Amino acid sequence: MIDLSYFTEGDNAAHIDLIVKYYGLCWIFHIISAVISQASFPAYKEKVNKKGVKGPTSLADKVNWDYTNASIPYCAIIFYFYLAAVFEMKDTLEGRWTTQTFNSNHGIALHIASSLYETTCYVFANKGLVFYAHHVVTVGGCCSMLFNGRASFWCCLLGLVEGTNIPLGFVLGGPFRTTSFKDTLIYKINGILLWVMYIILRGPVVFALLYLQNDIKEHGLGTKNPIAYMFTDEKLNLIWNGYMWVIGLFLWGLSIVWFTQITNGMLKALGLKKSKPAKKIA
């Protein structure tokens, strides 16, 4: 039988409490989106608006609409926590491997909670398997660091990629793409900002993994004064190290795919790339 006391006592009980509260906060953002959209955006209620733009016509569409809007504020909060934590912990080995701070704990807890919230939404939004896989590996990595009290810095550093979801929410959010706002200069600038943030925040993920690996090589298990490890058991620690590479490379690969789509969309929005004409049906 699994001993759940590990998660119900001490610091880990506080972490669980944070995750539950932040999960609720994500749903509050979701409900706020639904209420405001219902009251203020005709596209939320109409199948097709006057401009011929399709609105959310099913439960899946509305869940997509609302969780995209909800992602803007909670991703901004995660990004703030992570950025603050990285600057707090980056300068020392102890900071990178054995330190937990208010910002790191809250950032990781919200990251886990928002991933669980989005996974719940995926059930209703008919998302593909890759979206579930994305969150499974993310939550696994975050939980290993939060509940073991080690390597929080690396979770925060790699988690900075969540910052790209802020401009992405404005690009994909229903209130923005189904209204005249889509034709404004601000919307186009936001799209360019998304492209730039992808390069700055998601591009260097591999270098962050190499930075992590360097710490492990010089200060991991088997060295004179080991500190750069997750588990004292060498086999478990080796598995964790490999898992971090799996997470990083998997998410980096997804980022490349999404970056290609974002680049094409940006070029079309700026008029630098023409859309392919629709194929005639005989």
Side-chain angles (χ1 to χ4, degrees):
M1 184 178 291
I2 299 174
D3 183 10
L4 296 178
S5 63
Y6 181 78
F7 298 98
T8 58
E9 298 175 355
D11 289 341
N12 284 344
H15 297 328
I16 291 288
D17 184 59
L18 265 183
I19 291 169
V20 170
K21 288 177 178 176
Y22 276 135
Y23 181 78
L25 178 65
C26 292
W27 279 107
I28 289 173
F29 287 144
H30 188 107
I31 293 168
I32 291 173
S33 169
V35 171
I36 293 177
S37 297
Q38 182 71 25
S40 306
F41 297 98
Y44 191 76
K45 297 177 288 186
E46 299 173 359
K47 291 184 176 181
V48 181
N49 67 14
K50 294 179 180 179
K51 290 188 176 183
V53 178
K54 289 185 177 180
T57 58
S58 64
L59 174 63
D61 290 339
K62 290 199 173 184
V63 170
N64 264 307
W65 174 297
D66 291 319
Y67 96 71
T68 301
N69 294 337
S71 71
I72 298 172
Y74 67 66
C75 283
I77 298 170
I78 292 172
F79 184 69
Y80 167 79
F81 281 141
Y82 277 171
L83 190 62
V86 165
F87 278 99
E88 289 173 338
M89 299 187 288
K90 65 182 175 64
D91 293 326
T92 65
L93 276 169
E94 291 76 12
R96 296 195 294 274
W97 287 96
T98 63
T99 301
Q100 288 183 302
T101 68
F102 175 91
N103 288 312
S104 70
N105 286 341
H106 280 259
I108 297 172
L110 179 52
H111 197 170
I112 294 170
S114 64
S115 294
L116 295 175
Y117 154 75
E118 290 183 8
T119 302
T120 308
C121 290
Y122 292 165
V123 175
F124 300 98
N126 300 324
K127 290 291 186 179
L129 184 61
V130 68
F131 288 90
Y132 290 96
H134 164 239
H135 282 322
V136 168
V137 297
T138 299
V139 170
C142 289
C143 285
S144 72
M145 301 177 205
L146 183 65
F147 291 107
N148 283 306
R150 301 187 64 86
S152 291
F153 167 80
W154 300 105
C155 187
C156 297
L157 182 64
L158 293 169
L160 288 174
V161 299
E162 293 299 301
T164 62
N165 290 332
I166 304 167
L168 181 64
F170 285 105
V171 168
L172 300 179
F176 313 105
R177 62 179 172 78
T178 63
T179 64
S180 57
F181 184 79
K182 188 175 182 180
D183 301 321
T184 65
L185 179 61
I186 296 175
Y187 187 82
K188 292 180 179 179
I189 292 174
N190 178 76
I192 296 172
L193 177 63
L194 170 61
W195 187 80
V196 171
M197 288 184 72
Y198 249 74
I199 294 175
I200 295 173
L201 297 179
R202 291 184 179 264
V205 163
V206 172
F207 298 104
L209 290 171
L210 291 172
Y211 182 22
L212 179 151
Q213 195 63 44
N214 184 66
D215 261 9
I216 293 174
K217 180 181 178 181
E218 295 186 0
H219 306 284
L221 296 178
T223 61
K224 186 176 181 180
N225 296 303
I227 190 174
Y229 60 86
M230 177 58 67
F231 301 103
T232 54
D233 182 282
E234 289 189 7
K235 288 184 179 179
L236 278 178
N237 197 60
L238 187 62
I239 291 171
W240 178 81
N241 190 22
Y243 183 66
M244 291 305 298
W245 276 94
V246 169
I247 294 172
L249 293 178
F250 174 69
L251 298 181
W252 191 62
L254 283 179
S255 295
I256 291 175
V257 173
W258 293 333
F259 179 72
T260 302
Q261 296 173 353
I262 289 167
T263 300
N264 290 333
M266 182 188 70
L267 292 176
K268 289 177 183 177
L270 295 174
L272 300 176
K273 184 176 181 179
K274 295 182 179 180
S275 301
K276 293 181 179 180
K279 293 182 180 180
K280 292 183 179 180
I281 302 176

